[in-house]
Amino acid sequence: MDKKPVVGFAGLGFMGHGMAKNIIKGGYRLWIKGNVNRAPVEDLLSMGALEAESPREMAEKCDIIHLCLPGSRQVEDMVNGRDGILAGARSGLIVVDTSTSDPTSTANLAAIMTEKGVKLLDAPLGRTPKEAEEGALDVMLGGSASDLEIAAPVIKCWAKSITHIGPVGSGHKMKLLMNFLGASYAALYSESVSLAVKVGISPHAFREVIGPSRLGSGFFDTFMKYVCERDREAHRFTIANMSKDIRYVNSMATDAGVVNLMAAATRHYFTHAEAIEAGEDFVPMLSDHVGRLNGLDIESSVKDLAD
């Protein structure tokens, strides 16, 4: 592209708002497609963004479109719907899917898009909404090197690091492996906290010992910040989103013919939380639900055992 590309962005949630904001700061003309929550839309409009009525209109206006949506179903609807991206796409359009999606769906979409001359980069995200606002996310990217070269200047507006994993779909596979670890850690920490409380050990003591040890991690720190300090904002990623991701992990393992006992066990904790209508709770709050399965009130136990 000889001139600066026009950029589109659909999905203005916890991560998307910061990413879109930083694209505007990078000097790009930005078209956005909002959803029910108007607050991030109005904020971006005040910064100079333009609002598209449909994904089709966005595709007609843009050279590069970012998607930051809950999962594959929403991405498929955005791309293939009657007023979707493909309905208005020109040959050469690049779609950057930063959602955490099912790699099988990604491969199918890439094939459909290629027939229309549209390129797909799967670029799922690492880190949190805080880094999204700061323009310091990590990206694991699948797609061709030539397409990445075109899109990279825009991606660098919101990303601190880009790791090119391989062909289309590789980024989503890598992201599922990452979230497999995250979901499993959440289940393991939740069980460990419940067991600690049952045997009379305070979650504060548990954190004090594990945190600085080789078993500590950034994820452990944010998880236990909720457990011990009841900070609901410590890790803003919903149980419903993680539940979706661990389902994708199980599906990927099944397709690969891999024994996946840990992923299967982890899935049940998240499925349970969704079944009791706690899907909008954040991931560290899984500790409360696992505690209740064991007859415990973790919040009260944190206070009682700290005294």
Side-chain angles (χ1 to χ4, degrees):
M1 295 180 184
D2 297 327
K3 61 179 182 178
K4 211 163 191 176
V6 178
V7 182
F9 207 109
L12 304 171
F14 290 149
M15 302 293 274
H17 172 267
M19 297 162 68
K21 177 193 73 175
N22 282 300
I23 291 171
I24 296 172
K25 286 186 174 181
Y28 291 91
R29 189 180 185 191
L30 183 70
W31 286 83
I32 58 175
K33 178 66 179 73
N35 202 343
V36 177
N37 183 5
R38 292 296 301 176
V41 174
E42 297 300 334
D43 186 55
L44 292 167
L45 292 176
S46 74
M47 298 179 194
L50 302 166
E51 186 172 9
E53 290 295 323
S54 66
R56 176 177 186 157
E57 182 186 2
M58 182 179 291
E60 291 169 346
K61 305 283 188 184
C62 296
D63 304 299
I64 298 171
I65 293 177
H66 288 62
L67 306 179
C68 190
L69 301 169
S72 290
R73 181 177 60 81
Q74 292 82 2
V75 172
E76 291 167 2
D77 290 346
M78 184 71 64
V79 173
N80 288 328
R82 186 168 64 178
D83 281 323
I85 288 171
L86 289 183
R90 297 164 288 165
S91 180
L93 173 68
I94 296 176
V95 175
V96 181
D97 180 15
T98 71
S99 319
T100 300
S101 297
D102 181 346
T104 300
S105 172
T106 303
N108 291 337
L109 278 177
I112 294 168
M113 295 163 84
T114 297
E115 291 177 358
K116 299 196 175 237
V118 178
K119 312 294 183 63
L120 177 63
L121 296 173
D122 51 306
L125 312 170
R127 304 183 74 83
T128 72
K130 176 178 178 292
E131 286 78 27
E133 293 291 332
E134 295 170 353
L137 292 170
D138 298 330
V139 184
M140 48 216 89
L141 191 137
S144 75
S146 58
D147 294 339
L148 172 57
E149 184 177 359
I150 294 171
V154 182
I155 295 173
K156 287 177 180 177
C157 291
W158 48 264
K160 183 178 181 181
S161 70
I162 303 172
T163 303
H164 189 193
I165 306 297
V168 171
S170 300
H172 283 148
K173 291 173 183 176
M174 186 67 239
K175 175 62 173 179
L176 291 184
L177 292 172
M178 175 182 281
N179 280 13
F180 173 28
L181 293 175
S184 300
Y185 278 138
L188 180 62
Y189 297 156
S190 295
E191 279 197 13
S192 298
V193 166
S194 288
L195 181 57
V197 171
K198 275 285 191 180
V199 299
I201 293 175
S202 166
H204 291 285
F206 178 73
R207 177 171 66 166
E208 186 176 342
V209 171
I210 300 300
S213 77
R214 293 177 66 185
L215 297 175
S217 67
F219 188 90
F220 179 82
D221 292 342
T222 55
F223 193 94
M224 294 305 296
K225 188 172 184 181
Y226 170 73
V227 173
C228 293
E229 300 170 29
R230 314 313 291 178
D231 182 354
R232 295 174 61 92
E233 303 298 303
H235 191 110
R236 296 176 68 196
F237 190 75
T238 67
I239 284 174
N241 271 333
M242 189 66 91
S243 183
K244 175 263 298 181
D245 294 348
I246 198 65
R247 289 196 301 272
Y248 288 168
V249 169
N250 278 269
S251 178
M252 184 169 71
T254 299
D255 289 345
V258 171
V259 177
N260 62 317
L261 300 178
M262 295 295 291
T266 297
R267 177 177 63 85
H268 288 299
Y269 277 130
F270 286 91
T271 299
H272 167 75
E274 284 194 292
I276 61 172
E277 300 183 351
E280 294 309 303
D281 285 356
F282 295 139
V283 167
M285 298 165 76
L286 186 68
S287 57
D288 294 333
H289 303 305
V290 174
R292 280 191 281 273
L293 287 173
N294 289 286
L296 299 169
D297 181 333
I298 297 298
E299 182 173 10
S300 297
S301 299
V302 167
K303 297 175 183 176
D304 292 343
L305 289 173
D307 293 336

